[in-house]
Amino acid sequence: MRIGVPAEVKTDEYRVALTPAGALELTRRGHEVWVERGAGVGSGILDGAYERVGARIGGAEDAWAGELVLKVKEPQASEFGFLRDDQTLFTYLHLAANPGVADALRRAGTTGIAYETVEDRDGPLPLLAPMSEVAGRLSVQAGARY
């Protein structure tokens, strides 16, 4: 399977959806991983770290050409043209707050899997829980600052 990791284009978003360790695991299992040039820089990860584990570096078109596309944040309007009906997008989608994203996914026929809705067997949200914990801890610091 071709797996793409585009750079995040949302304002003030510096995270990347896949680390080199994750890329290594995927390439070891026979997947082709394409990371957009510079996608990890905001997280302190240079392109060479991905290349050393077998990922390929390319442009946005290369990353979005994946059958599975991994992102951190919902696609922005500038990315809607990359959405396709033979593609699965795995990211935070926040569809209730972003009806335009829901409409773009529907129009393109893209299968979207939202991190915030993935449940484990017992019902908890394992992908959302760590983010909620971080936000909860940071809220106290932000409140104290302001």
Side-chain angles (χ1 to χ4, degrees):
M1 174 186 290
R2 183 175 176 141
I3 300 169
V5 183
E8 297 296 327
V9 298
K10 186 170 184 174
T11 303
D12 294 327
E13 181 55 68
Y14 304 104
R15 296 174 291 177
V16 63
L18 186 70
T19 64
L24 175 63
E25 290 303 315
L26 292 169
T27 57
R28 279 185 176 165
R29 288 170 169 75
H31 300 290
E32 184 179 341
V33 177
W34 281 85
V35 178
E36 184 176 346
R37 188 170 292 103
V41 171
S43 294
I45 305 169
L46 301 179
D47 292 343
Y50 289 105
E51 291 175 309
R52 282 191 291 280
V53 298
R56 298 178 185 182
I57 302 297
E61 297 81 11
D62 298 310
W64 279 98
E67 299 160 77
L68 173 64
V69 174
L70 308 175
K71 284 182 52 60
V72 175
K73 295 301 288 178
E74 69 279 355
Q76 303 301 291
S78 63
E79 298 173 305
F80 290 172
F82 290 117
L83 300 173
R84 308 183 316 275
D85 65 354
D86 63 342
Q87 178 184 72
T88 298
L89 176 62
F90 192 36
T91 187
Y92 284 107
L93 286 172
H94 309 293
L95 295 178
N98 295 296
V101 173
D103 190 51
L105 290 169
R106 183 194 52 78
R107 280 194 321 265
T110 302
T111 298
I113 302 173
Y115 294 156
E116 67 270 19
T117 63
V118 174
E119 295 181 7
D120 69 16
R121 291 182 183 138
D122 299 324
L125 305 165
L127 303 178
L128 188 57
M131 295 304 293
S132 298
E133 185 174 331
V134 169
R137 290 177 186 224
L138 289 177
S139 67
V140 174
Q141 293 177 16
R145 178 176 179 192
Y146 294 105

